[in-house]
Amino acid sequence: MSKPTKQIHLAAHFPGVNNTTVWSDPQSGSHIGFASFKEFAQTAERGKLDFLFLAEGLRLREQRGQIYDLDVVGRPDTFAILSALSAVTDRLGLAGTINSTFNEPYDVARQFASLDHLSGGRAAWNVVTSWDAFTGENFRRGGYLPADQRYERARLFLETTLELLDSWRDDDVVADAESGQFLARPDAGEFARHDSQFDIHGRFNVPRSPQGRPVIFQAGDSDEGRGFAAAQADAIFSRHSEYDAGRTFYADVKSRLAKFGRSRDDLLILPAATFVIGDTDADAEERAAVVRRQQVSGATAINFLEQVWNRDLSAYDPEGPLPDVDPDTGEHTIARGRASVRRHEDPIELARTWRERAQAEGLSIRDLVIEVSGRHSFVGSARTIADAIDRHVQDDASDGFILVPHITPGGLGGFVDEVVPLLQEKGVFRTDYTGATLRENLGLPTLSDDEGAARAS
Amino acid sequence: MSTSSTTHLALALDGTGWHPGSWRDPSARADELFTARYWTDLVLLAERGTLDLVTIEDGLALQADDGLHHDPRTDRVRGRLDAVHVANHVGALTSRIGLVPLAITTHTEPFHISKAIATLDYVTSGRAGVQVRIGGRRDESAHFGRRELGDWSDLDADGQRSFANALFDETDDYVEVLRRLWDSWEDNAEIRDAATGRFVDRDRLHYIDFEGEHFSVRGPSITPRPPQGQPVVAALGHDERPWQLIGTSADVGFVTPKDDAAEALPTIRAAQQRAGREDDVRVLGDVLVVLDEDATRAAERLAHLNDLAGSPLESDALIYVGGVPGLADLIESWSAAGLSGARLRPAVNTVDLPHIVDGLVPELRRRGLFRSAYDGRTLRDHLGLARPANRYAA
């Protein structure tokens, strides 16, 4: 018996402060002006994409003790821009990363409830944690959590926020001018939460929103992060956009769902994906090579290497061989404000592998960095890309992708105009929005206020 | 730009209006309070009247009749949307009017509010402001669980509320942080210098290194300096200490004159001078309006609203009940006394705002007291406030 054809989910990430973004290209627009965000969002909606995703920054990155100046620097406030975008879009989901460390549940809950009301049920929350004192220096309470408490706080933060959102029932606002009854009951919004992280009680002050709660996204990749996602999330942002790694990750995460009484369709797996479209496959390969060199300048390559080596490598020639010296495995101080530096669990081994590879293939520092960091997920003609995406999804390497163009805001247009119609032709992508809320468009089960409350407890 | 002799008009939006019975008015749209359409319609109407700005009330607890304590009433509007979110949504759909959401300084992070208001300024191309308010309710602090607040009955020897004064001190700090963060990027910091590969000139980005009693903030902001340089900071004051806050920290002060229109001015100007601020501070008088074709109809409407609410209207601000000419007279007399204009609190948004736009505004124009069209683009333009230099620029 053959598997039913899966419908692909597609979203678009407005790229921020990584070297993916080629800001030096003449077509590159503003990364802060509202017109850019509006164009990007309306392009995504024109393509019937599920949602727009916006990351968050809470401290400017630094390297070697100085503000990192080679990539795009600066971005708007996540919540504020999503609320503004809710005014210029009708169906597109609006997903934002909001940190659970430097916020309080009451404030985050009221902001998501407000966004969900203003957008008519299109809000989504990518829950992330931070534990570093570096970012904490911008927040009044200063030096934050030890690393071992961050998932605990994230878990309880999410539970607490959902409890607040579930403190109003759908029919609590009566607003009957005749009888004079505005609220159905005097205790609407009542909550109390006492746990290791939060000790709060009172009444939540935003009535229940169209979705009841935002769609919950999670991005962690560790065992703990996967468990957290399997228990709580509606979608997981994975970084496994490659076919084999994607299938392994997919199988692992989906297999964890049963333990929490959830079905395989209750959690979507959506890796980030970059793409370069060409007139032909060969043309696309050529373009991709150019883009990769734009993304990795000599200076960017040295900085990238420093993030693994945890040493000042500014004296090295990016067109020369890799450093002989081993990475410094002490406290990571060379680069601050980057999540990626923590991924290198064994930098000495990684450096050895890279040195061997560079030597064997005759790669300079810059060549090597392009090889290990600059690969695009999908390169080819629109037809090739549509086929590859469909194969990924039908083979359970993902449920779809979050597209990250390298030019903003215009870089999404080509995908929407050339690849989306081919997917629609194949019958694997919607030709129009099927629901009013993001939850409906993602095909996730809707939650009544009772179910919501039950799931939060 | 407006001249300083022009009267400034602000609109204060809260729920269906400032009369607790307003939501029961047949036109009030109380069942739409939590929709974007409701707020957009009101602000578009105010924009048609070329008002300087709209403030949007907010709070970190459910509304309560006595303003300080939780209540279990079910016959009043309870619940609201986050004002900063409403402002950003409406900001994308309007083109000229200033948008000034309220932020509570006692429980929120200045870094978050700074970038949210800077973003509002980008969304609106320079029409953003923020009204700062202390959060003195105990139930608000119980919602956050981070700090114990004192008691409003805790008066010190001079009859001053020392507990409240500490919150105002913190608010001065808070505004200082907002302003430093907005200045933490110089206007021309983004250079996109392809030759050197540098997106920004980091010498034009600045750590603010604020250290205060309640919070510390390192900076710089993650959001570049907003279009106005400094979005407009507003505050409401009823007494000496908040008037000082207005003089020290705000660009726009809302005061509540009842007998003496100019009562707050000496305190505000003295604080302004002590703070070494040469920039002007606009002071607007708050007035709750039940506005109608004539005084009789207005009085009838008020009586009916009082019946609906089950109690007579009370307010911290002057209550004006009457026709357009009388309200124009009041505003004119306030201008003569040295106020920069008025902030109008409609008793019922859907009734009194149309009277403001279609009655009061034309009347003030006839008297030469109010603009006939927006002549500037930014909120600072409307208010006749210059775009400030960056404190960190060399």
Side-chain angles (χ1 to χ4, degrees):
Chain A
M1 200 176 74
S2 70
K3 265 178 48 169
T5 306
K6 281 167 74 181
Q7 286 291 307
I8 296 170
H9 292 284
L10 292 174
H13 170 48
F14 189 100
V17 298
N18 290 309
N19 69 306
T20 316
T21 306
V22 182
W23 55 260
S24 56
D25 190 292
Q27 290 182 60
S28 168
S30 172
H31 294 267
I32 200 77
F34 183 59
S36 282
F37 287 90
K38 184 175 169 180
E39 180 186 333
F40 191 83
Q42 292 181 338
T43 303
E45 191 163 75
R46 176 157 56 83
K48 315 296 178 196
L49 270 52
D50 287 278
F51 60 89
L52 173 149
F53 168 64
L54 201 60
E56 183 186 44
L58 297 174
R59 176 98 193 247
L60 297 186
R61 298 169 175 197
E62 292 182 1
Q63 192 138 337
R64 273 181 256 125
Q66 292 186 299
I67 288 166
Y68 192 83
D69 59 359
L70 300 179
D71 299 339
V72 168
V73 181
R75 46 176 140 202
D77 177 70
T78 304
F79 269 136
I81 208 79
L82 293 179
S83 278
L85 288 174
S86 73
V88 295
T89 53
D90 292 320
R91 294 300 190 92
L92 185 69
L94 300 164
T97 297
I98 293 295
N99 193 293
S100 64
T101 307
F102 307 114
N103 285 291
E104 296 298 330
Y106 197 92
D107 199 25
V108 166
R110 66 193 294 275
Q111 295 201 64
F112 271 116
S114 297
L115 177 62
D116 206 47
H117 277 292
L118 290 169
S119 64
R122 298 186 279 136
W125 176 20
N126 180 36
V127 189
V128 301
T129 64
S130 174
W131 66 99
D132 70 56
F134 176 75
T135 306
E137 283 176 10
N138 279 337
F139 295 91
R140 61 167 59 177
R141 291 176 299 162
Y144 273 77
L145 289 172
D148 61 357
Q149 280 184 36
R150 70 193 186 103
Y151 274 109
E152 178 74 350
R153 178 167 167 108
R155 189 176 63 78
L156 294 171
F157 192 107
L158 180 59
E159 277 181 18
T160 304
T161 304
L162 297 183
E163 184 169 322
L164 289 166
L165 293 168
D166 286 330
S167 65
W168 288 71
R169 293 199 285 256
D170 288 325
D171 52 5
D172 273 342
V173 175
V174 181
D176 181 1
E178 276 300 305
S179 70
Q181 187 182 29
F182 188 84
L183 293 186
R185 53 187 178 118
D187 52 354
E190 213 163 72
F191 70 92
R193 186 84 197 182
H194 308 285
D195 58 42
S196 67
Q197 300 289 327
F198 305 103
D199 183 13
I200 60 177
H201 68 276
R203 291 175 76 190
F204 185 54
N205 74 345
V206 187
R208 195 167 176 84
S209 66
Q211 291 187 115
R213 57 174 63 174
V215 171
I216 303 296
F217 295 151
Q218 216 272 328
D221 194 38
S222 64
D223 185 60
E224 231 177 339
R226 292 178 189 201
F228 180 57
Q232 298 272 20
D234 297 305
I236 184 161
F237 286 168
S238 127
R239 59 188 175 87
H240 303 289
S241 65
E242 288 179 12
Y243 182 85
D244 291 327
R247 281 174 53 96
T248 307
F249 179 80
Y250 192 99
D252 174 67
V253 172
K254 295 264 176 173
S255 73
R256 295 172 186 244
L257 289 164
K259 197 171 101 190
F260 300 99
R262 305 179 67 197
S263 95
R264 287 171 65 87
D265 298 333
D266 290 351
L267 176 69
L268 299 171
I269 294 176
L270 304 171
T274 55
F275 57 90
V276 177
I277 310 171
D279 296 335
T280 62
D281 288 354
D283 174 46
E285 288 294 347
E286 270 175 43
R287 287 190 197 193
V290 172
V291 172
R292 287 162 75 184
R293 290 194 79 75
Q294 286 177 308
Q295 290 169 326
V296 184
S297 68
T300 297
I302 295 291
N303 278 295
F304 181 92
L305 224 52
E306 283 183 346
Q307 289 157 26
V308 175
W309 259 256
N310 193 25
R311 286 177 186 279
D312 183 347
L313 303 177
S314 55
Y316 285 82
D317 175 6
E319 306 302 340
L322 269 67
D324 288 333
V325 60
D326 273 337
D328 179 350
T329 53
E331 193 195 346
H332 203 113
T333 55
I334 198 89
R336 292 169 175 275
R338 278 178 193 276
S340 60
V341 299
R342 294 168 198 288
R343 286 186 193 153
H344 310 303
E345 280 171 12
D346 187 352
I348 293 185
E349 172 61 15
L350 186 65
R352 194 186 59 76
T353 316
W354 283 357
R355 267 194 229 107
E356 280 179 12
R357 179 169 175 192
Q359 213 156 25
E361 300 177 27
L363 304 176
S364 67
I365 288 176
R366 187 178 178 197
D367 295 334
L368 184 277
V369 172
I370 287 172
E371 286 301 315
V372 300
S373 77
R375 188 166 298 284
H376 292 284
S377 316
F378 298 104
V379 177
S381 68
R383 172 70 59 193
T384 300
I385 291 177
D387 290 346
I389 285 177
D390 189 32
R391 172 171 169 259
H392 254 84
V393 173
Q394 303 309 335
D395 291 359
D396 287 346
S398 77
D399 294 309
F401 291 94
I402 296 169
L403 304 164
V404 191
H406 58 268
I407 301 283
T408 41
L412 187 62
F415 191 95
V416 160
D417 294 331
E418 297 173 44
V419 181
V420 165
L422 298 176
L423 294 172
Q424 289 168 332
E425 237 170 61
K426 283 169 175 279
V428 292
F429 189 69
R430 67 164 77 87
T431 53
D432 202 354
Y433 289 101
T434 49
T437 67
L438 174 59
R439 181 168 282 279
E440 287 165 8
N441 282 318
L442 287 172
L444 294 166
T446 50
L447 298 170
S448 75
D449 48 6
D450 291 342
E451 284 165 343
R455 199 173 131 193
S457 60
Chain B
M1 279 216 291
S2 315
T3 59
S4 56
S5 62
T6 307
T7 293
H8 298 289
L9 284 185
L11 174 74
L13 289 180
D14 184 16
T16 51
W18 291 76
H19 195 297
S22 60
W23 73 272
R24 297 184 64 184
D25 187 281
S27 70
R29 302 172 68 181
D31 56 340
E32 295 178 59
L33 262 178
F34 309 105
T35 68
R37 189 72 246 170
Y38 170 80
W39 295 93
T40 305
D41 286 348
L42 290 175
V43 179
L44 283 171
L45 181 54
E47 187 170 62
R48 188 156 72 66
T50 68
L51 269 54
D52 291 74
L53 63 94
V54 173
T55 61
I56 303 166
E57 293 295 304
D58 207 349
L60 296 172
L62 271 185
Q63 299 92 321
D65 267 21
D66 82 352
L68 281 181
H69 301 93
H70 162 94
D71 77 30
R73 297 190 77 131
T74 56
D75 63 339
R76 297 278 197 263
V77 166
R78 294 290 182 259
R80 52 171 123 231
L81 302 180
D82 183 291
V84 176
H85 283 253
V86 172
N88 273 285
H89 182 97
V90 174
L93 298 172
T94 52
S95 55
R96 301 303 274 270
I97 197 164
L99 292 161
V100 183
L102 191 140
I104 301 291
T105 55
T106 308
H107 303 290
T108 59
E109 295 278 2
F111 193 87
H112 286 314
I113 293 294
S114 162
K115 61 189 162 67
I117 300 301
T119 300
L120 178 62
D121 212 39
Y122 278 103
V123 166
T124 59
S125 301
R127 297 182 285 125
V130 60
Q131 181 185 336
V132 291
R133 177 179 296 171
I134 63 168
R137 282 174 62 167
R138 286 191 159 178
D139 55 351
E140 272 183 345
S141 52
H143 294 163
F144 288 81
R146 287 214 315 248
R147 60 195 294 185
E148 292 280 326
L149 291 187
D151 195 317
W152 285 93
S153 61
D154 175 21
L155 302 181
D156 64 22
D158 301 326
Q160 292 291 309
R161 294 183 174 89
S162 51
F163 146 64
N165 288 352
L167 298 181
F168 283 109
D169 292 347
E170 182 182 3
T171 302
D172 273 322
D173 282 359
Y174 195 100
V175 175
E176 173 69 12
V177 170
L178 296 182
R179 292 190 182 284
R180 287 194 202 180
L181 286 168
W182 291 330
D183 276 349
S184 66
W185 289 57
E186 293 183 34
D187 289 318
N188 52 4
E190 184 179 316
I191 54 172
R192 293 190 182 228
D193 183 12
T196 60
R198 292 177 306 147
F199 183 80
V200 291
D201 176 355
R202 60 182 163 220
D203 294 336
R204 300 180 197 169
L205 301 180
H206 304 276
Y207 296 98
I208 70 163
D209 287 322
F210 179 89
E211 297 283 343
E213 194 183 330
H214 294 287
F215 50 85
S216 60
V217 179
R218 174 96 166 106
S221 179
I222 59 153
T223 308
R225 194 167 194 244
Q228 292 184 101
Q230 296 272 319
V232 169
V233 175
L236 169 68
H238 300 99
D239 205 347
E240 288 291 321
R241 182 61 191 91
W243 292 339
Q244 288 162 4
L245 172 83
I246 291 168
T248 308
S249 298
D251 304 294
V252 174
F254 305 125
V255 295
T256 50
K258 287 193 172 166
D259 305 319
D260 175 6
E263 187 190 6
L265 289 176
T267 305
I268 292 173
R269 299 302 174 205
Q272 193 182 332
Q273 216 159 31
R274 269 199 312 278
R277 298 179 69 199
E278 290 166 24
D279 44 335
D280 215 340
V281 175
R282 299 276 178 250
V283 181
L284 309 185
D286 265 23
V287 52
L288 195 168
V289 299
V290 184
L291 193 58
D292 219 303
E293 277 151 35
D294 56 49
T296 312
R297 291 186 67 133
E300 283 168 8
R301 265 187 58 219
L302 177 60
H304 184 57
L305 286 166
N306 287 346
D307 281 348
L308 290 175
S311 55
L313 175 64
E314 291 174 33
S315 177
D316 55 316
L318 184 68
I319 300 170
Y320 176 83
V321 185
V324 163
L327 182 56
D329 290 345
L330 175 75
I331 292 170
E332 193 166 359
S333 75
W334 279 359
S335 287
L339 295 185
S340 310
R343 184 174 74 149
L344 305 164
R345 305 185 190 174
V348 183
N349 291 335
T350 50
V351 178
D352 293 289
L353 179 55
H355 281 304
I356 290 168
V357 170
D358 298 324
L360 179 68
V361 164
E363 175 64 21
L364 291 173
R365 283 175 183 159
R366 265 195 297 281
R367 299 183 187 198
L369 288 171
F370 193 60
R371 68 171 71 83
S372 55
Y374 287 109
D375 39 17
R377 279 284 165 191
T378 69
L379 176 54
R380 281 185 171 272
D381 289 344
H382 303 339
L383 293 167
L385 298 172
R387 188 177 191 275
N390 190 322
R391 75 198 63 197
Y392 296 110

